[in-house]
Amino acid sequence: MAIIQFPQGFVWGTATASYQIEGAYDEDGRGLSIWDTFSRTPGKVRNGDNGDVACDSYHRYEEDIALIKQLGVSAYRFSIAWPRIIPDGDGAVNPKGLAYYHTFIDKLLEAGVEPYVTIYHWDLPQALQDKGGWLNRATIDAFVRYSEVLFKAYGGKVKKWFTINEPWCASFLSYTIGEHAPGYRDLQMGVDAGHHLMVAHGKTVLRFRELGIPGEIGFAPNVSWKVPYSNRPEDVAAARREMGWTNDWFLDPVFKGEYPQYLIDVFAKHGAKLHVEPGDMELIREPVDFYAINYYSGNVVRHKEGFGLFDSETVDYGRDHTEMGWVIMPEGLSSVLLDLKQKYGDIPVYISENGACYNDEPGPDGRVRDDRRIDYLRSHIVEINRAIASGVNLKGYFVWSLLDNFEWAFGYEKRFGIVHVNYRTLKRTPKDSYYWYQKVAKNNWFEV
Ligand code: IFM
């Protein structure tokens, strides 16, 4: 038996995102988002699911806040739906949308929970997509204006802001791999969209500073950990290229002011070019107060000439997987934290998402026994403790997710919640993992 103790003031939280939980897709003046369109396009989302109702959190938010309060965490990370605030993306502000989140934030604060707000978790207004979405540089300014509306409305009440969630997903997964909205399959588009997202991030940080908004701002890239299959230089290089796609490509520009040349070269080999306009890199480099990482999985990778974008393949030799099919590699979390510290320095960092998909349902007694999720969370939380012990300036940890919810292209087939949602009745049932995490948050330590 050993005690895993966390520093005083360590932030325990849980997270969700607007399109995944809110529903109420056409209420109170909300405009359509790219996910409304994408999920209505046949074949894009499993079972034809969409976020029209989702967990109905738009109406049931008081129940959800009660669940968060009862969980005993001090922070809740949620995202604001751009199409509720500015329905057509760059036109008039919708007072009902603004009022909704005012009430929501107030109730959260009354419950003693600090709001951590993600400005963009992928629900781009469809009207902006109609003009090119993230391929159009005008979307950068629309995003800055939308952010400014939020800063002016909620600044002071909200003290922690994330500009963009998982820019890799919003660019490459959406414009190159085609799995997410808007569903394109083109490398050049992914490179362009990614760069524009990063300029939007930097310009927004700058605007936040200019407005003198009290609080802190950062962003939340999804990172991975790739272990070379052997120490042969070609395997090491292949693992570096794969990992660099999520990590270096989005973090180097923010902390070093440049994109990694070895990836520019890979993209060039596949016919894609980085288009940077004068001033872009200075904007992206605008200093942040913290950064946050979303970590779920790692892989073992080796060189395979002519295979995929990176001349590489994943070697899966029987490690456990979650029900997403993702390899469970808890030690990747401490490794990536140490790697980032070494590369970028002692910047405060959060784990803005970590969690697992297991589709456990309530038993005959109504209890959801999701032991595999508890094992997953425990093993990853031990790793963040090890990272802290090694000097990583880690401030907090957010479980993904509070609720089972709309898992993008997988619809409602994949459950990540520590609270079960019955999608027919919308009943919420805290799972065993909820009660396990409740103890961790209360005690600030646990036994292994
Ligand atoms: O559900 C998603 C979330 O929206 C972004 N990060 C990964 C989660 C699990 O796939």
Side-chain angles (χ1 to χ4, degrees):
M1 284 282 190
I3 300 286
I4 306 296
Q5 172 79 54
F6 280 81
Q8 236 194 337
F10 189 77
V11 176
W12 296 105
T14 183
T16 60
S18 47
Y19 189 75
Q20 293 181 273
I21 65 162
E22 284 182 355
Y25 81 103
D26 60 352
E27 276 181 55
D28 292 339
R30 178 187 180 277
L32 291 180
S33 82
I34 53 175
W35 273 94
D36 295 295
T37 309
F38 192 68
S39 58
R40 281 174 170 69
T41 312
K44 297 297 184 193
V45 175
R46 291 228 180 137
N47 308 313
D49 290 343
N50 61 47
D52 287 6
V53 177
C55 308
D56 194 34
S57 291
Y58 189 78
H59 299 115
R60 293 167 198 250
Y61 66 90
E62 292 194 76
E63 189 182 345
D64 293 342
I65 291 175
L67 282 166
I68 299 166
K69 185 176 179 183
Q70 202 198 330
L71 182 60
V73 293
S74 61
Y76 178 51
R77 174 177 181 244
F78 63 96
S79 77
I80 290 184
W82 186 347
R84 290 198 196 280
I85 303 294
I86 306 177
D88 67 0
D90 57 3
V93 173
N94 172 25
K96 285 191 177 162
L98 273 185
Y100 174 76
Y101 292 107
H102 262 304
T103 310
F104 182 80
I105 291 164
D106 290 346
K107 298 258 182 208
L108 208 54
L109 290 167
E110 270 166 44
V113 178
E114 184 173 1
Y116 280 58
V117 170
T118 307
I119 300 175
Y120 183 68
H121 199 126
W122 312 344
D123 36 6
L124 185 78
Q126 180 59 41
L128 293 183
Q129 189 62 48
D130 295 341
K131 295 185 236 171
W134 287 107
L135 300 178
N136 180 355
R137 285 186 70 101
T139 300
I140 298 171
D141 290 323
F143 180 76
V144 178
R145 173 170 172 258
Y146 155 58
S147 304
E148 186 171 333
V149 170
L150 301 188
F151 294 151
K152 288 184 175 161
Y154 311 123
K157 298 206 256 201
V158 172
K159 299 207 173 66
K160 298 284 194 305
W161 299 89
F162 304 84
T163 53
I164 287 169
N165 184 66
E166 300 187 356
W168 182 88
C169 293
S171 54
F172 292 110
L173 191 61
S174 307
Y175 286 82
T176 301
I177 297 170
E179 186 180 312
H180 278 193
Y184 294 119
R185 290 173 194 273
D186 184 281
L187 181 59
Q188 184 63 61
M189 285 187 179
V191 173
D192 290 342
H195 179 61
H196 296 158
L197 279 153
M198 293 316 292
V199 178
H201 153 81
K203 230 176 164 177
T204 299
V205 175
L206 179 63
R207 199 74 201 103
F208 183 78
R209 306 283 180 228
E210 286 168 352
L211 291 169
I213 304 293
E216 297 179 358
I217 191 161
F219 78 131
N222 53 306
V223 299
S224 58
W225 186 248
K226 307 284 182 187
V227 181
Y229 186 74
S230 77
N231 60 6
R232 291 186 312 161
E234 57 269 42
D235 287 348
V236 173
R240 179 176 182 234
R241 287 191 295 273
E242 273 206 20
M243 183 156 82
W245 197 22
T246 50
N247 303 14
D248 297 355
W249 189 257
F250 293 98
L251 285 148
D252 275 14
V254 172
F255 296 119
K256 296 183 172 171
E258 61 191 19
Y259 286 95
Q261 187 59 46
Y262 71 95
L263 288 178
I264 296 179
D265 295 344
V266 171
F267 296 149
K269 202 173 126 191
H270 292 273
K273 200 172 169 301
L274 178 64
H275 298 116
V276 174
E277 293 200 357
D280 283 358
M281 298 315 291
E282 289 71 25
L283 282 170
I284 299 177
R285 202 181 190 170
E286 185 64 29
V288 287
D289 298 297
F290 63 85
Y291 68 104
I293 59 168
N294 296 354
Y295 176 87
Y296 289 89
S297 174
N299 292 106
V300 175
V301 170
R302 76 177 163 203
H303 179 82
K304 188 171 181 183
E305 193 59 39
F307 201 70
L309 202 49
F310 299 108
D311 294 319
S312 62
E313 67 174 350
T314 293
V315 186
D316 191 347
Y317 49 85
R319 277 176 174 257
D320 286 342
H321 298 77
T322 65
E323 289 192 50
M324 279 303 270
W326 296 348
V327 171
I328 303 173
M329 196 183 275
E331 70 279 16
L333 181 51
S334 49
S335 304
V336 77
L337 283 166
L338 285 164
D339 186 55
L340 298 175
K341 172 184 159 74
Q342 201 199 348
K343 280 185 182 141
Y344 307 121
D346 265 333
I347 302 147
V349 54
Y350 291 87
I351 309 299
S352 36
E353 287 181 25
N354 174 241
C357 165
Y358 290 111
N359 295 320
D360 304 292
E361 290 289 337
D365 58 355
R367 186 170 148 194
V368 186
R369 293 172 170 78
D370 60 337
D371 295 343
R372 293 171 299 174
R373 179 172 290 101
I374 296 176
D375 287 346
Y376 178 99
L377 295 177
R378 184 194 294 111
S379 61
H380 285 76
I381 295 175
V382 169
E383 291 299 325
I384 62 172
N385 192 274
R386 295 183 63 205
I388 294 169
S390 297
V392 172
N393 192 2
L394 189 67
K395 298 292 185 194
Y397 172 90
F398 291 78
V399 170
W400 184 270
S401 176
L402 174 68
L403 303 171
D404 290 337
N405 58 46
F406 177 80
E407 179 52 27
W408 308 112
F410 293 91
Y412 297 101
E413 243 179 41
K414 304 286 182 189
R415 295 176 178 271
F416 278 81
I418 54 174
V419 174
H420 179 272
V421 176
N422 177 321
Y423 293 118
R424 202 171 36 81
T425 62
L426 298 167
K427 179 169 184 256
R428 277 89 162 123
T429 307
K431 304 179 187 179
D432 282 1
S433 58
Y434 173 97
Y435 296 110
W436 179 83
Y437 190 56
Q438 186 179 50
K439 270 197 222 139
V440 175
K442 175 170 173 273
N443 295 336
N444 208 30
W445 59 264
F446 61 100
E447 251 178 15
V448 286

